[in-house]
Amino acid sequence: MKALLKTSKNPGFDLFDIDAPSPKENEVLLKTQVSTICGSDLHLWEWNQWADDFVPRLPLVVGHETCGEIVDCGSGVNLSKLNLKIGDLVSVETHLFSGCSCSPCKNGKKHLCSSGEILGFHKNGSFAEWLTVPVDNCWKAREGTDPVTASLKEPLGNAVQTVMTQPIEGKTILITGAGPLGLMTIAAARAFGAGKIFVSELQAERREKALGLGADHVIDPKNQNLHSVIEDQTKGKMFDVLLEISGSNQALNDGLASISNGGSVALLGLFPSTVNLSLNENVIFKGLTINGITGRLIWDTWNHVDSLIYEKGFDPKKLLTHSFKIEEYEKAFHLMEKGVSGKIALFPG
Ligand code: NAD
């Protein structure tokens, strides 16, 4: 099968012909329909310090935001018991939990399983024609769901999880970074009742998109003073919640310097290297609550994502700007690097 691999600790990926995987015990074989590119795939493409620390072994088939059709099962899989059948389209929860007796698994936080792995980082991922995943990681798509929508449920879940980690109803919010995930976070914050939403983003096209998705005010942090703009707009009250979705040390520091005392912070963006923070001044004496966000609550967040799509009418495909065949991956990742695209889909077939 065609598969996109990271083979060395240098920038880039390579397309190879490799053997298709066979489903092991409790796994299903999926025929990949589409995989969308995540900002985290870009860390692997560039191979920064975080990628080097986080990925244990190469070669690795990369990619994780995906959906596929169930075509085969390994031993121990009883599809009908899980209300699934051969031919069903499923999204994939990328945090591969073991359901073990570790404290997070026992306490409803399977996404933090201490022996868990992440698809496309620790185990071969989805930029390939075929993919095996534990059947427990499959989320059935409702009848008629477009495969791109099914693939985008995973990142939309990151956004929903970021928004739901602290109370946001009626609160004034700053979102730093309006890449595809920041844009989804704006839509989720709007849907979950946020008050005024400020968005700080370097790229003009993305600031424009942010306004289209429900931001009240956008800031260009290169040419405007974030603190002064928000101070002026809020008559000195500033903002209650910082949702950091850029992975930029500068953006985090700008946000922390301006948030109100007692505010809360959700960190979703991944920083390419160690972060410098003025903890005393900007966190401790401000009495902030800081939440790290990884993945999604399994399956709470997925239910909220489905409600956002099917009941509240949010179409994540609005964020898709480009589609490519897997062979055109270089074009796709160069576009990602420029930071001007929305979501990009790679079709393996
Ligand atoms: P992206 O790289 O497309 O978007 C980041 C955006 O931040 C860009 O638009 C960039 O212009 C903007 N930005 C950079 N510096 C800025 C600054 N100083 N001020 C304001 N904006 C700034 O990535 P994405 O796909 O939108 O993902 C966002 C982040 O979320 C990435 O770091 C990704 O690795 C991370 N992520 C985390 C998880 C998790 O589970 N924690 C899951 C998926 C993605």
Side-chain angles (χ1 to χ4, degrees):
M1 66 171 184
K2 278 174 276 181
L4 204 52
L5 273 89
K6 186 85 196 173
T7 53
S8 74
K9 298 179 168 202
N10 297 313
F13 298 137
D14 289 297
L15 190 66
F16 280 99
D17 237 317
I18 61 170
D19 290 340
S22 304
K24 300 195 185 85
E25 192 179 359
N26 299 325
E27 286 188 338
V28 285
L29 176 67
L30 303 181
K31 180 166 171 42
T32 314
Q33 300 297 296
V34 62
S35 291
T36 40
I37 302 180
C38 172
S40 303
D41 298 322
L42 201 56
H43 293 278
L44 302 196
W45 169 266
E46 290 168 350
W47 202 258
N48 55 30
Q49 187 197 313
W50 173 73
D52 200 40
D53 292 343
F54 195 65
V55 174
R57 68 196 83 84
L58 299 177
L60 171 80
V61 178
V62 288
H64 58 280
E65 293 177 2
T66 194
C67 70
E69 204 179 289
I70 301 179
V71 289
D72 197 6
C73 308
S75 62
V77 175
N78 184 340
L79 286 180
S80 59
K81 209 169 151 194
L82 299 164
N83 191 28
L84 291 169
K85 58 181 182 326
I86 297 290
D88 275 351
L89 178 69
V90 292
S91 306
V92 176
E93 166 51 60
T94 53
H95 284 231
L96 310 172
F97 53 93
S98 72
C100 62
S101 57
C102 74
S103 166
C105 276
K106 279 203 293 197
N107 289 294
K109 293 186 176 171
K110 293 193 190 92
H111 65 302
L112 302 177
C113 173
S114 49
S115 56
E117 294 188 306
I118 302 182
L119 193 72
F121 295 89
H122 303 124
K123 179 186 183 295
N124 278 344
S126 66
F127 291 140
E129 290 178 270
W130 307 88
L131 165 73
T132 51
V133 292
V135 67
D136 285 344
N137 281 71
C138 294
W139 182 254
K140 186 173 170 169
R142 290 194 195 173
E143 200 65 36
T145 301
D146 182 280
V148 172
T149 299
S151 179
L152 290 176
K153 285 183 185 182
E154 196 260 19
L156 185 54
N158 287 132
V160 166
Q161 177 59 4
T162 304
V163 163
M164 294 187 77
T165 298
Q166 61 285 297
I168 59 139
E169 219 172 309
K171 305 270 187 196
T172 300
I173 289 179
L174 171 65
I175 296 177
T176 46
L181 261 187
L183 292 170
M184 286 183 173
T185 306
I186 297 168
R190 214 9 105 229
F192 288 100
K196 201 171 176 100
I197 302 179
F198 290 94
V199 174
S200 161
E201 163 59 46
L202 298 174
Q203 302 286 348
E205 295 90 338
R206 289 182 165 179
R207 289 197 298 275
E208 205 52 46
K209 283 203 174 88
L211 288 170
L213 283 160
D216 295 294
H217 201 99
V218 289
I219 300 162
D220 171 2
K222 250 193 181 160
N223 297 305
Q224 291 177 288
N225 181 297
L226 182 134
H227 188 91
S228 313
V229 173
I230 299 181
E231 193 172 39
D232 185 48
Q233 290 287 319
T234 59
K235 302 194 174 27
K237 286 171 124 182
M238 304 312 284
F239 58 95
D240 316 295
V241 179
L242 169 64
L243 307 179
E244 200 319 287
I245 329 276
S246 71
S248 152
N249 198 154
Q250 181 66 48
L252 175 62
N253 285 340
D254 287 352
L256 292 177
S258 300
I259 191 170
S260 304
N261 289 358
S264 50
V265 180
L267 301 177
L268 179 73
L270 295 174
F271 299 89
S273 55
T274 307
V275 169
N276 288 315
L277 276 187
S278 170
L279 276 175
N280 292 350
E281 198 186 332
N282 283 340
V283 177
I284 298 169
F285 285 111
K286 284 192 160 191
L288 300 184
T289 302
I290 298 196
N291 299 290
I293 311 294
T294 175
R296 298 140 295 279
L297 288 182
I298 303 166
W299 295 96
D300 251 33
T301 308
W302 287 83
N303 281 313
H304 284 292
V305 164
D306 273 4
S307 151
L308 195 54
I309 294 173
Y310 301 111
E311 270 94 59
K312 295 187 178 163
F314 175 68
D315 180 4
K317 276 202 301 174
K318 280 204 277 201
L319 296 172
L320 187 82
T321 53
H322 300 82
S323 296
F324 292 102
K325 290 186 198 145
I326 198 167
E327 291 87 346
E328 300 171 296
Y329 69 95
E330 283 181 307
K331 268 192 214 163
F333 278 92
H334 287 315
L335 256 176
M336 282 287 289
E337 275 182 315
K338 283 190 194 149
V340 290
S341 65
K343 270 287 174 194
I344 300 178
L346 282 187
F347 287 86

